[in-house]
Every structure is written in C-alpha cells, then in structure tokens.
Amino acid sequence: MLKFYGTSKSRSARCLWALEEVGVKYEHEPTPTTQAKSADHLRINPIGHVPVLDDNGTIIFESMAINLYLAEKYAKGTLWPASVEDHGQIYKWSFFGMTELEPHLMTLLMHKLFLPADQRSDQSVKTATEALKAPLGVIDAALKGRDYLLGSSFTIADLNLAAVLSFGLYIKFDFSATPALNAWFQKCIGREANVRTRTMK
Ligand SMILES: N[C@@H](CCC(=O)N[C@@H](CS)C(=O)NCC(=O)O)C(=O)O
C-alpha cells in the first residue's frame, strides 16, 4: 500500500499532483509542516520535512525523487517514456527546476509573503527577479514549437518543472515575458489531476 505524508500547502503539492496523474491507489496522511519535526515524522524523514512516500516499506523523501520514482514505477508509457535519452531530459528539467528556479522563487515568496514586513528586502526581490530571467528564458526557448518539454506528450518533466513554477502563483508572478513558457504553464497547471490537489489537505 502506498502512503503519502504531506500537505497540499507545501512542496508536497507536487507529489500529490503526481499521485493523482499516476492514478495509483494511495492513502494520504495529511501532515502539515508544523508536524514535520514530530518524533513520529522524524522516524520516516530524519531531516524533518514533508513530503514523504512510503511504498510498502520503501521510504522516500525529497519531492523530486518521489515524483521520479512514482513515474518510473507506476506510469511507464505515459509520464515516464521508454528511452534512456528521454530519461536524461527528465532528469535535466527536474534538477534545473530545483537548482535554477526554486531558490529564487523561494526568495520571492519569503520577501513578498512569508517574512514579517520589517524583515522583507526590496533588494532581495530585485536580485531574485533578475536571476530568474535567464532560466525562464531557457525554458521558453526550449518550448518554442513544441507542446511539452519532451515533445508532444505531457511527462513527469513537465509536471516537475510546472510544479516548481507554481510557487509563482502565490505571488502573482508575471510570466508574460516568456510567452511559450506561459502558455505551456497554464496548460500544465490546468490539468484535472492538479486542480484536484488544490482542495486537498
Ligand atoms: N528539498 C525538499 C524540501 C522539503 C521542505 O523544505 N519541506 C518543507 C515544506 S515545503 C518542510 O517540511 N518544512 C518543515 C520544517 O522545516 O520544519 C523537497 O523538495 O522535498
């Protein structure tokens, strides 16, 4: 039995999206970030974070690792294409999202939303916004003339990258300077499986 620990109000949302896309039966144990350092949770993730997946005793933490695992194990031929070359592209875009986008988007979230007003820095917002221009441009260029990152089908690469970019929704980030990215992003986040996750705990 698959058991998932996390909350849709965190990075766990990207795994809930993957679980819903895959369509496998799973049990969701809603785990808010405030419970991530509890003794029970530390037993399955010693760093004290959500999300965590327990697949019949195989425990996996790290949201991207969970999604790559779910796709390879449960969505061969759909989210997970057959060729090793395509797997390389999937790893590329997933790690690109985590390393080139997520830190800057987190800075924007912190300084526009989460930090108390007196700790917010306009300079941090400016620097992060500037730093996002190059990676967003890279994605925009890659999407020109194709429906999805790997070609004509939606794969876990699209899900992982669009899920990272979804941080931008909380701060109404304007993606209009990168139109191909913007059109693809709207298409991805509008998928039924993702929309379902929004009402989850
Ligand atoms: N790189 C990890 C980051 C996980 C993470 O930072 N989770 C946050 C919620 S988005 C958390 O559990 N925070 C609880 C805490 O720091 O106590 C991943 O992608 O899974």
Side-chain angles (χ1 to χ4, degrees):
M1 177 61 171
L2 270 178
K3 197 160 179 183
F4 179 72
Y5 301 80
T7 157
S8 67
K9 314 290 178 281
S10 73
R11 286 180 181 84
S12 314
R14 63 186 63 152
C15 303
L16 286 166
W17 183 4
L19 281 160
E20 290 293 314
E21 289 280 355
V22 161
V24 71
K25 200 169 175 314
Y26 69 98
E27 191 184 322
H28 180 197
E29 181 71 43
T31 312
T33 52
T34 48
Q35 271 175 36
K37 302 275 190 291
S38 70
D40 274 353
H41 193 78
L42 285 169
R43 267 193 281 280
I44 52 171
N45 184 357
I47 203 77
H49 287 160
V50 290
V52 178
L53 181 76
D54 177 352
D55 184 2
N56 216 14
T58 297
I59 308 282
I60 303 178
F61 46 82
E62 283 301 321
S63 55
M64 283 292 152
I66 292 171
N67 280 6
L68 295 170
Y69 173 86
L70 285 171
E72 183 168 9
K73 183 160 179 190
Y74 296 106
K76 283 202 173 83
T78 53
L79 294 185
W80 191 258
S83 81
V84 178
E85 289 74 16
D86 279 345
H87 301 166
Q89 298 300 324
I90 286 170
Y91 300 134
K92 175 181 86 178
W93 288 119
S94 302
F95 298 150
F96 188 81
M98 291 296 272
T99 58
E100 303 287 352
L101 297 173
E102 194 175 87
H104 304 307
L105 286 165
M106 272 309 290
T107 299
L108 292 183
L109 280 178
M110 295 306 290
H111 289 274
K112 281 174 161 260
L113 204 61
F114 294 144
L115 286 172
D118 62 346
Q119 289 173 35
R120 293 182 191 180
S121 146
D122 288 344
Q123 186 53 49
S124 299
V125 168
K126 218 171 140 196
T127 306
T129 306
E130 200 53 41
L132 279 168
K133 283 185 182 159
L136 292 179
V138 168
I139 300 168
D140 193 57
L143 283 164
K144 286 214 172 90
R146 52 173 60 202
D147 293 332
Y148 294 103
L149 290 166
L150 272 64
S152 57
S153 306
F154 178 83
T155 68
I156 196 70
D158 300 290
L159 190 157
N160 284 344
L161 203 56
V164 171
L165 288 168
S166 294
F167 277 179
L169 297 173
Y170 294 99
I171 46 164
K172 298 188 169 38
F173 189 92
D174 181 7
F175 290 110
S176 62
T178 47
L181 178 155
N182 199 18
W184 158 88
F185 179 58
Q186 298 306 329
K187 193 165 52 181
C188 291
I189 61 170
R191 289 175 69 86
E192 274 180 32
N194 186 43
V195 173
R196 279 200 296 278
T197 65
R198 292 190 194 141
T199 49
M200 290 181 182
K201 283 196 180 158

